[in-house]
Amino acid sequence: NAGVTQTPKFQVLKTGQSMTLQCAQDMNHEYMSWYRQDPGMGLRLIHYSVGAGITDQGEVPNGYNVSRSTTEDFPLRLLSAAPSQTSVYFCASSYSRTGFNEKLFFGSGTQLSVL
Amino acid sequence: AQKITQTQPGMFVQEKEAVTLDCTYDTSDQSYGLFWYKQPSSGEMIFLIYQGSYDEQNATEGRYSLNFQKARKSANLVISASQLGDSAMYFCAMRDREGSSASKIIFGSGTRLSIRP
């Protein structure tokens, strides 16, 4: 069982560079989301998607783009990386987009450093 | 607006003692779900327990229980008989719709629990 797969696990960027964090799930989950984790701030929601072709902003969307062309994939794009985007990024998914009892399944995280 | 507040950045507890981790939330929805996750030093996120807003009984899962006080909008996690392996970050989370057709989940800032032998 692959579950939620995130790549890469580690990445170092220079300010202004662009990159895409990949996230894929093989559980046919409707709901997918991206969080960033910073010390003292917990996990903050960046963007989320409730199905192919449907995305919405979370708490901290600025500087990030997402798209959802398939049910399985939900990539996160940094168009012009900034040091403030240094963080640990988690992708997470759940089966239903509406159920309140639907827990999240998490990827293993990506540690991103922007110099 | 959705908000989760965890007011204890860090806690130290003696092994075998019980510990309560605080969580308060804010939502305008009547229907919502509350979750607790554990993050050990390895970094993975582990689901611990769930409580629905209409559940009349407090949720329990082994040594974990959720002290749900709806009127106070609090959802505290209680760990009984703590073990060294309980040392980790603990996050409270809430899922609601905020008027949308779909629900999303937000997290609190977390509590770092350290168990002393």
Side-chain angles (χ1 to χ4, degrees):
Chain A
N1 289 336
V4 179
T5 303
Q6 272 185 251
T7 55
K9 290 193 182 303
F10 302 94
Q11 184 71 49
V12 179
L13 292 177
K14 294 182 180 178
T15 297
Q17 285 185 319
S18 63
M19 81 157 295
T20 300
L21 306 185
Q22 300 292 346
C23 177
Q25 52 87 13
D26 62 357
M27 298 174 283
N28 199 31
H29 283 178
E30 275 190 312
Y31 180 94
M32 296 186 75
S33 54
W34 278 101
Y35 293 88
R36 60 177 288 173
Q37 182 178 8
D38 303 291
M41 306 291 288
L43 279 79
R44 292 181 291 171
L45 181 64
I46 304 172
H47 286 285
Y48 65 103
S49 168
V50 298
I54 307 169
T55 63
D56 206 347
Q57 296 181 350
E59 302 167 280
V60 288
N62 292 342
Y64 307 95
N65 281 352
V66 292
S67 60
R68 182 115 178 254
S69 56
T70 67
T71 300
E72 295 78 19
D73 300 299
F74 190 46
L76 178 72
R77 280 182 287 276
L78 285 70
L79 297 179
S80 179
S84 60
Q85 294 178 305
T86 294
S87 187
V88 178
Y89 291 84
F90 284 99
C91 179
S93 70
S94 71
Y95 180 70
S96 165
R97 62 180 179 176
T98 56
F100 297 112
N101 63 342
E102 294 283 339
K103 68 181 183 184
L104 287 174
F105 292 79
F106 281 84
S108 56
T110 297
Q111 192 160 336
L112 176 67
S113 295
V114 183
L115 306 178
Chain B
Q2 292 173 304
K3 189 174 182 181
I4 294 279
T5 303
Q6 294 180 253
T7 57
Q8 306 153 309
M11 290 185 69
F12 286 89
V13 171
Q14 203 68 30
E15 189 179 9
K16 299 181 184 176
E17 288 184 351
V19 57
T20 298
L21 305 182
D22 295 340
C23 172
T24 58
Y25 61 91
D26 192 18
T27 177
S28 56
D29 287 355
Q30 296 301 310
S31 300
Y32 51 88
L34 297 158
F35 303 80
W36 279 91
Y37 285 83
K38 172 183 179 181
Q39 186 182 44
S41 57
S42 56
E44 71 214 85
M45 294 291 289
I46 301 169
F47 165 74
L48 294 178
I49 196 167
Y50 164 82
Q51 178 85 40
S53 59
Y54 290 111
D55 293 342
E56 294 184 353
Q57 304 270 357
N58 285 341
T60 60
E61 290 285 350
R63 293 186 300 112
Y64 304 108
S65 61
L66 202 153
N67 184 359
F68 180 48
Q69 298 188 44
K70 193 170 181 177
R72 289 186 169 187
K73 292 190 173 179
S74 76
N76 299 340
L77 177 70
V78 180
I79 306 175
S80 63
S82 56
Q83 302 171 356
L84 296 178
D86 293 333
S87 293
M89 280 290 288
Y90 289 81
F91 292 101
C92 180
M94 176 175 68
R95 186 163 199 162
D96 69 359
R97 290 188 186 151
E98 250 197 336
S100 168
S101 61
S103 60
K104 64 180 187 281
I105 301 179
I106 63 164
F107 285 77
S109 56
T111 295
R112 182 170 297 282
L113 177 64
S114 300
I115 308 298
R116 293 193 184 107

